[in-house]
Amino acid sequence: MSEWAEIGDRTWVRRYDEWDLNVGLVVGSDGALVIDTRATTEEAEQLREHIRELTDLPVRWVVNTHAHFDHVAGNGVFTDATVYLHENAAAEENLAGTTFAAAKVIDLGDRRVELLYVGNAHTSGDTVVVVPDVEVVFVGDLLEESAPPSYGEDSFPLEWPDTIEAAVGMMTAATKIVPGHGAVVDIEFARDQAIDLGKVANTISTLHHAGTPLDDALKHTEDWPWPVEKLQDAIRRGYQVLGTPQRPSLPLLGPG
């Protein structure tokens, strides 16, 4: 397990061995804000003790980057905190919290944290957490550094690349980006991953447009940036959106 790494003034990340998960901490004059709360109550209780290594101020705010269990299961440990998450994330897993639709600003006293929704991607409720005074952005599983992006049954592979581009459009070369899992990255990493996500989306669309049956698409091994075994849900989800593929019809021959 790594220690806290300060990546900006009173802004830390801690990368846990369990799920290789990143947890964020931002401290202002009025209290502390935690970004994601780990996968179990026991892990969250440990997180609470680790926070005490940095500050005695109360945890007044919790932000969930999305609704998957490894990011939200510890919410209940922070009994005095207001939980913030996107309205789609709350609906997906019936999570309690203060929801927002497009943007929300949390006032920490002498600084602010901005919550933004920029589109469907890893889930329908991914939240981008911006700490503007130090140019730090927590993106949850919109990006992953230590493994390929995680396409699940609730992912949006055809929209994901554009969502990353929208997020990147708000960043600068100096921005430090904290993915949901893995090391802190920069804008070039984000752009490169957006390109790879775009290759997945384009290959799915190309296969579908060619009339390739789903079963064959799931076995297609060319044109992917990652092993096709990692992309099974991506292909299925893409085909769900695009519908049943139709074999291209031959043009009718005119008078000879």
Side-chain angles (χ1 to χ4, degrees):
M1 181 187 302
S2 64
E3 301 298 315
W4 290 109
E6 189 167 12
I7 53 177
D9 175 38
R10 295 170 294 157
T11 304
W12 293 268
V13 62
R14 189 162 185 150
R15 180 178 173 183
Y16 285 94
D17 290 342
E18 295 85 358
W19 304 99
D20 196 20
L21 178 76
N22 285 322
V23 170
L25 181 70
V26 184
V27 174
S29 59
D30 289 352
L33 179 148
V34 174
I35 301 159
D36 291 334
T37 57
R38 307 188 69 191
T40 67
T41 297
E42 292 75 19
E43 289 180 5
E45 289 170 346
Q46 184 187 53
L47 168 61
R48 184 175 57 191
E49 295 307 310
H50 289 160
I51 291 169
R52 293 291 161 253
E53 298 171 5
L54 300 177
T55 181
D56 291 327
L57 289 171
V59 174
R60 293 188 53 198
W61 309 275
V62 164
V63 178
N64 295 139
T65 57
H66 60 291
H68 290 165
F69 78 95
D70 51 327
H71 299 259
V72 306
N75 285 4
V77 167
F78 298 94
T79 53
D80 296 328
T82 301
V83 177
Y84 289 89
L85 68 166
H86 188 261
E87 59 187 14
N88 292 343
E92 283 172 4
E93 300 294 336
N94 195 28
L95 290 171
T98 300
T99 61
F100 73 99
K104 176 71 178 179
V105 175
I106 303 176
D107 183 2
L108 276 59
D110 60 344
R111 67 197 310 193
R112 71 184 192 276
V113 170
E114 301 170 355
L115 312 183
L116 303 173
Y117 174 75
V118 293
N120 293 326
H122 177 63
T123 71
S124 67
D126 298 302
T127 293
V128 175
V129 184
V130 182
V131 190
D133 62 311
V134 290
E135 291 197 86
V136 170
V137 180
F138 295 83
V139 297
D141 290 2
L142 283 177
L143 295 172
E144 292 201 40
E145 184 275 333
S146 55
S150 179
Y151 291 98
E153 295 178 355
D154 55 351
S155 64
F156 293 81
L158 304 183
E159 299 176 54
W160 198 335
D162 289 340
T163 299
I164 292 293
E165 290 292 350
V168 167
M170 301 181 293
M171 302 176 188
T172 73
T175 302
K176 301 180 187 71
I177 307 169
V178 183
H181 307 267
V184 176
V185 298
D186 59 16
I187 195 170
E188 289 306 317
F189 179 95
R191 286 177 174 146
D192 288 344
Q193 192 153 104
I195 290 170
D196 286 340
L197 289 160
K199 290 177 183 176
V200 172
N202 290 338
T203 300
I204 292 170
S205 298
T206 298
L207 289 168
H208 184 274
H209 182 70
T212 306
L214 174 60
D215 286 347
D216 291 343
L218 292 168
K219 300 171 187 173
H220 184 80
T221 58
E222 300 176 0
D223 310 315
W224 307 113
W226 303 292
V228 70
E229 293 78 14
K230 300 281 189 182
L231 303 173
Q232 298 293 288
D233 280 330
I235 298 167
R236 290 190 183 96
R237 287 285 286 174
Y239 268 56
Q240 285 174 7
V241 171
L242 296 169
T244 303
Q246 303 295 321
R247 289 287 185 184
S249 57
L250 294 174
L252 295 176
L253 295 176

